[in-house]
Amino acid sequence: MAEADTHQRSLGRQAAKLALYALGMFGFGFLLVPLYDVFCEVTGLNGKTGGKYQYEQAQASVDESRAVTMQFTANNNAAMPWEVRPMQHQVTFHPGELVQVTFYARNPTGQRMVAQAVPSVVPFKSADYLHKTECFCFTQQILDAGEAVEMPLIFFVDRALPADVSKMTLSYTLFDVTQNFAAKGKALSAN
Amino acid sequence: MATGHGHDDHHHGPAKGITRWLYTTNHKDIGTMYLVFSLAMFLLGGTFALVIRAELFQPGLQFVTPNFFNQMTTMHGLVMVFGAVMPAFVGLANWMIPMMIGAPDMALPRMNNWSFWILPFAFLMLSSTLFMDSGAPNFGWTFYAPLSTTYAPSSVTFFIFAVHMMGVSSIMGSINIIATIQNLRAPGMTYMKMPLFVWTWLITAYLLLAVMPVLAGVVTMMLFDIHFGTSFFSAAGGGDPVLFQHVFWFFGHPEVYIMILPAFGVVSEIVSTFSRKRLFGYDSMVYATSSIAFLSFIVWAHHMFTTGMPLAGELFFMYATMLIAVPTGVKVFNWIATMFKGSISFETPMLFAIAFVVLFTMGGFTGLMLAISPADFQYQDTYFVVAHFHYVLVPGAVFSIMAATYYWLPKWTGNMYDENLGRLHFWLSFIGINVLFFPQHFLGLAGMPRRIPDYALQFADFNMLSSIGAFIFGFSQLLFVFIVIKAARGGKKATAEVWDGSHGLEWTVPSPAPYHTFSTPPVIK
């Protein structure tokens, strides 16, 4: 009988170990979220751009030997009714040079709405070299009924940008986050 | 003995009435319940499929609205994967593993009872969404976000909890199977003497344990996105919908091997029995199964070639996927080598097993075509994909389950099934399935998209053919139900060995297998 008891106990121990392993894999599923972010940051996958960048004159000497063209596009996500467009369609500049452009947005509805712009840049491998010192995507845009706004974007492109990249496209997608905003009562922060 | 209901009392028969099934901890009872449940779900999921095929019989909208059509494709996938195929294999594991390794029961009998009884409630909850105002989930069995979060019907929450329950059931089931195989083998039954069905299930159980929690995780993230304002998959809040696909397919790809590895085990047993030869290359079968299980974890993004991966990613996942053809090829050649110069007889289980080898290999080849990343951009989301995975799942997993049922039915019931009806069922299924799915290859290559209730006129003929095949296959399964019931009620008495070339411990106990077997372990030389 004692033997059967130890047998039962060792079975119980193994079951507990396996259950712990399953629990660990449940955690691993959630770990994939930050891992994915790190992976995207390292590889520039999905064209995710970084957050607010501190511009220092010293590090950003201008490389006059080549020029880069940046094209801009802005779209609405799904049911977002805003009018949104870049005010310049493209600019050409040197790596290291600080560039300012503006985007226009208007809320044509009868309600006060909150929008979040989500950036993406192609080619993906250039995402890491785009540094934004000021962007409307760092905060949310709150527009009253019928209100319009001109939104600034200030950026420069790192001198280390791979030599074969001469043209980049920066796209913004506007999401309607009025409900999230109301629910949280404060600004969400994305990049 | 009036109160002798404890599970340590080994000398009583089953209790009477409904409580036998509610309280049972007997692996044979639980195995039977799993199999009956799975058959019921197979018929339910099959009904959904027939709604789909009826709608696609002709172009235009005939019977259902597009939204209901989407609900049907979703529910068909979910019910077949989680309700029919997986529980069927767990049922076979419950019945056969203890008898194959000389154990008196599963290692954790009480937990075994729980793993089963969670399932009917999970599927009751999932099916109840069909009667809700919002309708059932309509975002496909892969439930990609944001379709399943931002744009989901409100019934999605029921879907999420149903998936949680199925997950808990599968995890408990696999813990039980691992504990049984690792601790309860009869003296002398070393790992490399275990029947291949036991081996494939051991590996499958580890796969389940690794990925079902990830599935539970991904639906939990959905739950939080929907109800608690998080943004795992919402780009507006800093999340990423593509992340959903990564996490889902990290579960999803091993999942497809979860549905096919036990089938490999079943077919290995049957091919060897009816060829009256030992399985060719037993060791290589074990290693091939393990390699497939390992590879299944590093190929998930081949489902996502068109999401804009870097070139290096496309290449890695393409080559890793193609590598799976090597161990799979080893298996196919081993089955053929087992049959080579064997004294083969073609009883129903063997017919299904041979059809498995041929048709599964065809499904494998179309899988290789899909693995070629540049070509995948054309095949993505067309009927070619539908044809591919139905070839590996229906004449693959489902045929192996039917083969297993015919093979072990005499052991379970003590009666031989009607061989003529069995063969009729096989031929109807075999012809039905090919008429059903083969034309879908052509439809897909010509560009017909999946999950759409209507189609261009040029696809009309093949769709009609496919629907005719679907109805032949679907209704011939009623014959299967009839054959099983008939054998359960009576028929020619089966001997202990049942088959001429049978080998293994399960054939040393009488037919039908007594309620308790191997209370004292057999000795294996």
Side-chain angles (χ1 to χ4, degrees):
Chain A
M1 211 53 213
E3 204 176 308
D5 263 10
T6 34
H7 187 64
Q8 270 307 319
R9 227 173 302 136
S10 84
L11 274 182
R13 254 202 312 277
Q14 187 181 15
K17 252 188 262 173
L18 291 169
L20 212 64
Y21 172 63
L23 205 66
M25 287 307 294
F26 184 70
F28 177 75
F30 284 86
L31 195 65
L32 284 173
V33 179
L35 278 180
Y36 178 71
D37 278 344
V38 171
F39 188 75
C40 286
E41 214 165 286
V42 171
T43 59
L45 192 68
N46 281 341
K48 279 197 175 175
T49 58
K52 196 173 169 69
Y53 198 85
Q54 282 310 329
Y55 183 76
E56 280 160 41
Q57 204 68 44
Q59 65 170 116
S61 58
V62 178
D63 176 4
E64 308 240 333
S65 67
R66 65 178 175 136
V68 178
T69 302
M70 178 84 81
Q71 303 180 314
F72 303 97
T73 156
N75 297 289
N76 280 324
N77 174 252
M80 183 67 172
W82 284 21
E83 195 183 308
V84 57
R85 62 171 185 269
M87 298 186 70
Q88 298 88 345
H89 287 289
Q90 66 175 35
V91 287
T92 302
F93 51 87
H94 301 297
E97 187 182 336
L98 210 54
V99 183
Q100 171 155 14
V101 290
T102 12
F103 281 66
Y104 171 84
R106 194 175 79 88
N107 174 6
T109 66
Q111 283 101 40
R112 183 182 161 91
M113 285 182 72
V114 188
Q116 169 72 55
V118 175
S120 175
V121 63
V122 283
F124 291 158
K125 66 176 173 183
S126 64
D128 277 350
Y129 304 95
L130 175 68
H131 303 307
K132 290 180 280 190
T133 59
E134 195 182 328
C135 178
F136 53 92
C137 60
F138 294 154
T139 57
Q140 279 147 351
Q141 317 305 320
I142 308 169
L143 292 188
D144 284 323
E147 193 186 348
V149 67
E150 287 183 8
M151 309 179 292
L153 163 67
I154 305 176
F155 67 91
F156 71 100
V157 167
D158 205 292
R159 286 170 55 105
L161 182 75
D164 60 330
V165 180
S166 59
K167 194 176 265 183
M168 298 161 69
T169 304
L170 177 59
S171 128
Y172 285 95
T173 307
L174 237 57
F175 287 79
D176 177 6
V177 292
T178 313
Q179 278 183 345
N180 304 25
F181 193 80
K184 291 206 170 173
K186 63 183 173 73
L188 300 153
S189 82
N191 346 311
Chain B
M1 285 309 285
T3 54
H5 199 73
H7 69 269
D8 49 354
D9 179 0
H10 286 290
H11 301 287
H12 67 93
K16 293 278 177 287
I18 183 76
T19 53
R20 164 180 178 183
W21 303 104
L22 285 177
Y23 302 146
T24 186
T25 56
N26 180 287
H27 72 101
K28 298 185 182 79
D29 281 352
I30 293 172
T32 305
M33 289 196 294
Y34 264 112
L35 288 166
V36 170
F37 173 76
S38 142
L39 181 61
M41 288 297 112
F42 180 61
L43 297 175
L44 179 68
T47 310
F48 296 154
L50 290 186
V51 173
I52 296 170
R53 281 320 317 175
E55 178 57 53
L56 293 175
F57 187 71
Q58 283 186 323
L61 293 177
Q62 273 78 234
F63 303 109
V64 295
T65 60
N67 187 36
F68 189 73
F69 184 88
N70 290 345
Q71 295 174 27
M72 286 292 102
T73 55
T74 307
M75 294 293 278
H76 165 70
L78 291 170
V79 166
M80 285 303 197
V81 168
F82 296 106
V85 174
M86 288 169 69
F89 282 127
V90 180
L92 291 173
N94 262 294
W95 249 103
M96 300 320 298
I97 288 177
M99 276 163 57
M100 286 176 141
I101 62 172
D105 204 311
M106 296 296 279
L108 307 154
R110 181 66 63 192
M111 196 165 82
N112 207 7
N113 175 293
W114 293 340
S115 345
F116 173 74
W117 276 110
I118 289 175
L119 273 186
F121 294 99
F123 280 90
L124 202 64
M125 194 154 84
L126 184 65
S127 309
S128 71
T129 58
L130 277 167
F131 303 100
M132 291 177 186
D133 286 343
S134 66
N138 56 3
F139 32 68
W141 88 274
T142 52
F143 52 99
Y144 280 7
L147 206 52
S148 61
T149 51
T150 317
Y151 306 101
S154 53
S155 61
V156 65
T157 309
F158 290 89
F159 156 82
I160 289 173
F161 283 120
V163 171
H164 275 139
M165 285 161 77
M166 294 165 204
V168 169
S169 161
S170 292
I171 290 166
M172 293 204 296
S174 40
I175 289 178
N176 213 340
I177 287 167
I178 295 172
T180 307
I181 298 174
Q182 292 186 339
N183 296 292
L184 300 190
R185 277 169 293 126
M189 170 78 74
T190 59
Y191 278 107
M192 290 313 271
K193 277 187 187 163
M194 294 194 311
L196 213 64
F197 178 69
V198 180
W199 250 118
T200 52
W201 241 115
L202 179 63
I203 292 165
T204 304
Y206 271 108
L207 284 183
L208 274 168
L209 214 49
V211 301
M212 287 310 279
V214 176
L215 175 70
V218 77
V219 294
T220 308
M221 292 178 211
M222 279 169 55
L223 185 75
F224 276 69
D225 270 11
I226 295 168
H227 293 292
F228 304 111
T230 57
S231 298
F232 286 103
F233 308 128
S234 153
D240 191 336
V242 178
L243 170 67
F244 175 89
Q245 298 186 28
H246 280 289
V247 185
F248 176 81
W249 285 114
F250 184 83
F251 146 80
H253 201 79
E255 167 70 17
V256 306
Y257 291 100
I258 286 165
M259 292 190 282
I260 205 66
L261 293 185
F264 289 167
V266 166
V267 168
S268 302
E269 302 294 334
I270 292 173
V271 164
S272 144
T273 296
F274 292 95
S275 304
R276 292 166 181 77
K277 275 176 68 187
R278 283 183 52 176
L279 186 68
F280 183 88
Y282 171 92
D283 292 15
S284 63
M285 286 295 217
V286 173
Y287 299 133
T289 312
S290 316
S291 329
I292 293 175
F294 168 74
L295 288 172
S296 74
F297 283 103
I298 55 163
V299 297
W300 77 90
H302 66 212
H303 297 271
M304 307 166 51
F305 280 145
T306 59
T307 54
M309 265 192 287
L311 185 64
E314 305 257 346
L315 288 175
F316 171 78
F317 286 109
M318 174 169 98
Y319 288 129
T321 304
M322 290 178 149
L323 208 54
I324 296 184
V326 177
T328 312
V330 168
K331 288 185 157 293
V332 172
F333 284 121
N334 279 344
W335 290 320
I336 294 170
T338 307
M339 288 188 269
F340 183 65
K341 288 194 174 172
S343 169
I344 305 180
S345 58
F346 297 94
E347 284 90 346
T348 313
M350 185 60 165
L351 290 174
F352 274 105
I354 295 173
F356 171 96
V357 175
V358 175
L359 299 180
F360 174 80
T361 305
M362 281 171 50
F365 277 128
T366 50
L368 269 177
M369 290 172 69
L370 287 161
I372 301 169
S373 172
D376 182 73
F377 281 70
Q378 174 164 359
Y379 307 147
Q380 164 87 11
D381 259 341
T382 67
Y383 259 83
F384 192 75
V385 179
V386 176
H388 156 68
F389 70 72
H390 279 95
Y391 258 89
V392 289
L393 278 176
V394 187
V398 172
F399 270 26
S400 86
I401 293 163
M402 283 169 179
T405 308
Y406 284 114
Y407 184 54
W408 284 311
L409 200 58
K411 182 55 66 188
W412 300 336
T413 64
N415 307 314
M416 295 304 284
Y417 60 87
D418 188 324
E419 185 63 47
N420 288 328
L421 285 182
R423 287 181 196 191
L424 178 66
H425 169 233
F426 167 76
W427 284 110
L428 285 173
S429 299
F430 181 81
I431 294 167
I433 208 80
N434 282 298
V435 174
L436 164 55
F437 292 119
F438 206 80
Q440 295 186 0
H441 289 117
F442 305 127
L443 287 171
L445 291 177
M448 177 170 162
R450 60 190 285 212
R451 293 173 170 160
I452 307 280
D454 192 4
Y455 48 83
L457 288 177
Q458 78 215 52
F459 303 131
D461 292 348
F462 277 140
N463 267 300
M464 187 176 280
L465 195 61
S466 179
S467 289
I468 291 169
F471 280 89
I472 296 174
F473 180 71
F475 284 104
S476 59
Q477 301 324 306
L478 296 177
L479 182 60
F480 177 62
V481 176
F482 174 76
I483 295 168
V484 171
I485 292 174
K486 192 175 167 215
R489 303 186 116 208
K492 201 175 119 228
K493 292 285 160 245
T495 60
E497 297 80 21
V498 182
W499 309 108
D500 208 16
S502 62
H503 51 94
L505 286 177
E506 79 262 40
W507 309 108
T508 63
V509 302
S511 302
Y515 199 56
H516 295 288
T517 42
F518 298 125
S519 297
T520 47
V523 178
I524 290 100
K525 285 168 272 312

